[in-house]
Amino acid sequence: MLILGMGPIGLLTLQAVLQYGAREIIAVDMNEERLAIARKLGAAHLICPSQTDTLEEVKRLTGGAGVDTAIDAVGAGLTRRQCLLACA
């Protein structure tokens, strides 16, 4: 699962999907502090778009397959597009 945006909505989403059984969660955010919180809450992988291309890293982490589910907790046009392109 991919969650773009680790603000309050993204972090709450992360906690909720973990409760429902998601295990391999990829968290994406520009803010390193928010990514650190995501790691503490259980995100398996962290991506900072200023350091790594998000889509390339998702493909690498999934062996080229893409994720089963993607959630845009940012609400920008770019992140909505990335969610669609990151899915299997």
Side-chain angles (χ1 to χ4, degrees):
M1 170 173 264
L2 174 68
I3 304 174
L4 288 145
M6 289 292 108
I9 294 170
L11 292 171
L12 180 61
T13 301
L14 170 64
Q15 293 175 72
V17 297
L18 284 168
Q19 290 300 310
Y20 281 97
R23 292 291 166 249
E24 288 293 317
I25 299 169
I26 304 168
V28 181
D29 201 281
M30 297 290 286
N31 184 307
E32 294 286 345
E33 291 176 16
R34 289 181 177 184
L35 287 173
I37 294 169
R39 169 72 78 201
K40 288 180 185 177
L41 291 175
H45 306 282
L46 308 175
I47 299 174
C48 182
S50 66
Q51 299 173 5
T52 305
D53 180 272
T54 300
L55 293 175
E56 285 182 19
E57 186 65 6
V58 167
K59 295 296 182 184
R60 186 188 71 77
L61 291 170
T62 61
V67 295
D68 293 326
T69 307
I71 296 175
D72 176 17
V74 176
L78 173 64
T79 54
R80 281 191 299 273
R81 180 171 164 72
Q82 286 178 327
C83 279
L84 292 172
L85 293 174
C87 287

